[in-house]
Every structure is written in structure tokens, then in C-alpha cells.
């Protein structure tokens, strides 16, 4: 059975994480994603550490199910080949800094001249306007400018902290993928091909507003976030490891006091209501930690579960892959890559009831699909060999 995006072609000139992750979501759902890379260089993540047989884990985990076409876009014939391919495509995605696509000749008007109804997608760091638009951008800079680092620190006057995963990059990828499918649906319903713009800064601020910007919601009644709710994480040490315990409502609070055999907490005025428990959060969490430190993680997880208290073990990366919950849901899958060998990767998170999972095709070697993609764009064998001989294209079937 066909996949949700079967029949759509996406031409992808992006590199690093946000763009490649966005297009990998589309590829995982059946789209024909053609990754355009510079001959001999390719996506910078190909050079990242943690490699096997010349293939980097970072590249493998963001470029599954794609085809690689190595084109020199500074060569006139290479640029022409890209435009010939775009004429067959539904979506074009680029994440160059503002102004670069124009200089390269692949800005929206230039692309629309050959593909009038294409979905043109620009992914940027700080957006198209303003003093930061043309600045270099990396994930920590967006965490800083968006307020995420301050929120992670706790209070406005506390030391800001970075989230130790690249939230802006990855979040932007998911936002872009959803926006692309929305634009394709709109086009199916009669709308013209649109220009979809997604910036990392936009994505993170939107993401934060739903839970972390309540103090700025009421115009005229803004509140400084001068005090953090708590600097204590909901992570507790036991005699054998760490667990997480989270209670929200009165029923769960009552269950926690029963499971911990601490009925006296119910009569403590500091914890009488949900509001009281929030106002005295540090005292509550410290008492909980003292009690949980008296026995093993295994003991507490079983007991808390029996009493209906929300809880879970804190897993390391190595423990995660074999945990019974992850295994039961088949979240981690194993695939054979022709170069890198057996890979362990997370399967696509969205599952479609009427469509089987897309068989994984490992991330491609640089230029591995150049001939087949150029053939799809209308080039015959002689023309393809000419492009390669002139340095406008490259095929590196034997390399990474």
C-alpha cells in the first residue's frame, strides 16, 4: 500500500539538522526526497564524529530514505540541472542565510520561473528581517535570544542554562515538515504554490508561549518572573538509581502519601491544597526525596505503581534501547545499511493505521543517486556523463 506522501517529490538543498530533519519526516512518509549536495563535500554532518565505514551517525539519523545528487551549483550546467529537476518537483527546501539563495539564482522568482506551483520553503535562524537576520546562527544562540535559556535557568535573575539537546534545530524541523504538508494540502484544494517561511526563533518562541510565557500574556499586567517555581527537578535518588515521580491533583497526592507511608503530610497546612503544595514546592520535594532515599528504585516503582502514583525509572541512553516499554511499542528498530552496517534508529513517531511502515532506506552516500536522479529529470546517459566530465555533477557510488 502507498505511503501518505507517495508521489510527491521534494528537492532539498538544506544541511545540518533543522532542514534535513524536516525533509526526513517527509521521506519517512513516502515522499521522494532528493538531497542536493556539493560534490566532494556534501552536508557538513557527513564529517561529524562517531563514524563507521566513513558514515557519521549524525548524518545517518537525519537523512534516511533520501537520494543524494551531487551538483556544483556554481557551475552553469549544474544550476541548470537543478532547475530541470525542480520542474518535476512539488517542494523545494533551502536553509541558506537571507540573500544567499538570490545570489545563487535559486530564490523564489527564479525557481517559480521553472516550477510555478512549487511549494518554496525557506528555513532560517533569526527570520528574514531585523538586525539578526543575516547573522550566523547556531542552536545555543536561538536558545539565548528566544528566552529558552532563561526559562531553563528558572527565575529571571537566575543564571540562564542551555537545554542539553538542540531543541531549536529539531523543533524547527518538525514545524517545517508540518507546514509543508499543510501547504501541499492547500494546493490540492486549489490554493497556489506558496512560500513557506519557518525560522528557528519563531518556532521556539511559539513553542514556549503555550506554557512558559503566561507572565507576559496579559497586556498591561505583565509580571516579572522573579522567582522560579523550584530549582529541584522531579528526579529522585534511591539506593539503586534514579526515578521520577510527578503528582498533580489531590487524588495523586493522597496516593503518594499512602505509598510513602507518610499520612502526617496530609495534615501539614503547607500541603493542604494544590495551591499550598505549589507555594511550598521545595519543602514538599525535599521531604519526598528524603523518603525515597530509604529504599531501592525497584521497590519504590512497584509500590508507587500499585498505589496509582505516576512514576518512571530514569533511563540512560544504553538502558533505553532495551527497556520493556520501548520494546513493546517497537520504537527502536534495526536496519542494515550497505556501508555502515547494522544501524539502531528510532522509527518514525507517527504511525498510520491503513498504511504499513515505510521500509527504511539508509542515508545515501554522497552522490550515490546522481545518475538516477538526473535521468528522472530528463537527462540521457550521454548528457549525464557530460555533466560529470565538466564538473557540474558528480557520482560517488564508491564513497560516502
Amino acid at each position: 500500500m502507498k505511503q501518505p506522501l507517495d508521489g510527491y517529490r521534494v528537492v532539498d538543498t538544506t544541511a545540518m539538522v533543522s532542514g534535513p530533519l524536516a525533509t526526513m519526516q517527509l521521506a519517512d512518509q513516502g515522499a521522494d526526497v532528493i538531497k542536493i549536495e556539493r560534490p566532494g563535500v556534501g552536508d557538513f554532518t557527513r564529517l561529524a564524529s562517531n563514524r563507521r565505514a566513513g558514515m557519521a551517525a549524525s548524518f545517518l539519523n537525519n537523512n534516511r530514505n533520501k537520494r543524494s545528487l551531487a551538483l556544483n551549483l556554481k557551475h552553469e550546467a549544474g544550476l541548470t540541472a537543478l532547475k530541470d529537476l525542480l520542474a518535476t518537483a512539488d517542494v523545494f527546501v533551502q536553509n541558506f542565510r537571507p540573500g544567499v539563495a538570490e545570489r545563487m539564482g535559486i530564490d523564489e522568482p527564479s525557481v517559480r520561473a521553472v516550477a510555478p506551483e512549487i511549494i518554496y520553503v525557506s528555513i532560517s535562524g533569526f527570520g528574514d528581517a531585523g538586525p539578526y537576520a543575516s547573522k550566523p546562527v547556531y542552536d545555543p544562540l536561538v536558545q539565548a535570544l528566544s528566552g529558552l535559556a532563561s526559562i531553563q535557568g528558572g527565575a529571571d535573575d537566575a543564571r540562564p542554562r542551555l537545554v542539553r539537546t538542540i531543541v531549536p534545530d529539531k523543533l524547527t524541523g518538525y514545524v517545517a515538515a508540518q507546514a509543508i504538508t499543510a501547504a501541499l494540502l492547500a494546493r490540492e484544494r486549489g490554493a497556489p504554490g506558496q512560500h513557506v517561511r519557518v525560522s528557528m526563533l519563531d518556532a521556539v518562541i511559539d513553542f514556549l508561549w503555550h506554557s512558559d510565557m503566561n507572565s507576559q500574556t496579559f497586556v498591561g499586567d505583565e509580571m516579572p518572573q522573579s522567582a522560579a517555581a523550584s530549582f529541584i527537578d522531579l528526579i529522585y535518588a534511591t539506593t539503586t538509581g534514579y526515578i521520577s515521580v510527578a503528582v498533580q491533583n489531590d487524588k495523586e497526592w493522597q496516593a503518594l502519601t499512602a505509598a510513602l507511608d507518610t499520612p502526617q503530610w496530609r495534615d501539614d497546612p503547607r500541603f493542604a491544597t494544590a495551591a499550598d503544595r505549589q507555594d511550598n514546592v521545595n519543602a514538599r520535594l525535599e521531604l519526598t526525596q528524603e523518603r525515597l532515599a530509604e529504599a531501592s528504585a525497584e521497590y519504590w516503582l512497584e509500590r508507587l505503581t500499585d498505589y496509582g502514583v505516576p512514576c518512571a525509572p530514569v533511563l540512560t541512553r544504553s538502558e533505553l534501547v532495551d527497556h520493556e516499554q520501548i520494546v513493546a511499542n517497537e520504537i527502536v528498530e534495526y536496519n542494515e545499511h550497505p556501508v555502515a552496517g547494522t544501524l539502531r534508529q528510532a522509527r518514525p513517531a507517527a504511525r498510520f493505521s491503513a498504511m504499513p511502515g515505510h521500509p527504511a532506506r539508509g542515508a545515501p552516500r554522497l552522490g550515490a543517486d546522481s545518475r538516477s536522479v538526473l535521468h528522472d529529470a530528463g537527462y540521457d546517459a550521454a548528457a549525464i556523463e557530460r555533466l560529470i566530465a565538466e564538473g557540474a555533477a558528480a557520482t560517488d557510488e564508491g564513497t560516502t
Side-chain angles (χ1 to χ4, degrees), residues 15-101:
M16 299 300 285
V17 175
S18 59
L21 175 57
T23 56
M24 192 178 82
Q25 306 306 305
L26 308 178
D28 284 345
Q29 294 172 5
D32 176 21
V33 176
I34 299 166
K35 186 175 181 70
I36 308 298
E37 301 183 78
R38 182 180 166 190
V41 179
D43 189 323
F44 180 76
T45 60
R46 287 186 181 274
L47 306 177
S49 60
N50 189 14
R51 306 160 64 81
R52 186 164 70 189
M55 299 293 291
S58 177
F59 181 82
L60 291 167
N61 287 331
N62 290 287
N63 292 281
R64 178 176 59 205
N65 288 324
K66 301 179 185 179
R67 296 194 284 167
S68 173
L69 166 58
L71 277 183
N72 180 1
L73 299 183
K74 294 182 178 180
H75 193 293
E76 183 179 354
L79 182 60
T80 298
L82 173 62
K83 291 183 177 179
D84 289 339
L85 181 61
L86 287 170
T88 73
D90 299 282
V91 180
F92 174 62
V93 189
Q94 57 92 354
N95 65 348
F96 301 112
R97 271 192 247 168
V100 173

Side-chain angles (χ1 to χ4, degrees), residues 241-388:
Y242 295 94
I243 64 173
S244 182
V245 182
V247 298
Q248 295 291 330
N249 55 45
D250 287 329
K251 181 180 178 182
E252 291 169 351
W253 170 248
Q254 297 294 325
L256 178 67
T257 60
L260 300 185
D261 196 22
T262 54
Q264 67 275 17
W265 293 359
R266 300 174 200 164
D267 300 321
D268 191 319
R270 294 175 298 174
F271 312 137
T273 67
D276 293 328
R277 293 193 290 275
Q278 185 60 38
D279 289 340
N280 297 283
V281 59
N282 284 345
R284 173 169 57 86
L285 298 183
E286 287 166 0
L287 286 171
T288 304
Q289 173 60 90
E290 290 174 7
R291 182 73 178 103
L292 291 172
E294 297 174 6
S296 70
E298 296 76 14
Y299 170 80
W300 284 125
L301 289 170
E302 182 177 358
R303 185 171 174 85
L304 291 165
T305 299
D306 288 344
Y307 278 82
V309 179
C311 62
V314 175
L315 302 178
T316 65
R317 294 170 179 85
S318 350
E319 292 169 339
L320 178 150
V321 297
D322 295 318
H323 188 271
E324 59 184 355
Q325 183 64 26
I326 281 77
V327 172
N329 284 279
E330 300 178 333
I331 296 173
V332 175
E333 60 184 14
Y334 295 79
N335 298 295
E336 291 299 320
H337 190 279
V339 175
T342 305
L343 303 182
R344 180 191 290 114
Q345 295 180 306
R347 64 173 290 162
R351 309 185 192 189
F352 299 86
S353 63
M355 299 173 178
H358 193 294
R361 179 179 186 262
R365 302 184 309 277
L366 175 58
D369 307 289
S370 292
R371 285 192 172 91
S372 66
V373 173
L374 289 169
H375 180 268
D376 289 348
Y379 287 71
D380 61 22
I384 293 170
E385 296 309 318
R386 235 183 350 265
L387 285 173
I388 294 171

Side-chain angles (χ1 to χ4, degrees), residues 3 16 28 64 111 122 143 151 210 212 226 249 374:
Q3 296 301 303
M16 299 300 285
D28 284 345
R64 178 176 59 205
V111 170
S122 300
Q143 290 201 38
I151 289 167
H210 304 287
D212 303 293
S226 56
N249 55 45
L374 289 169

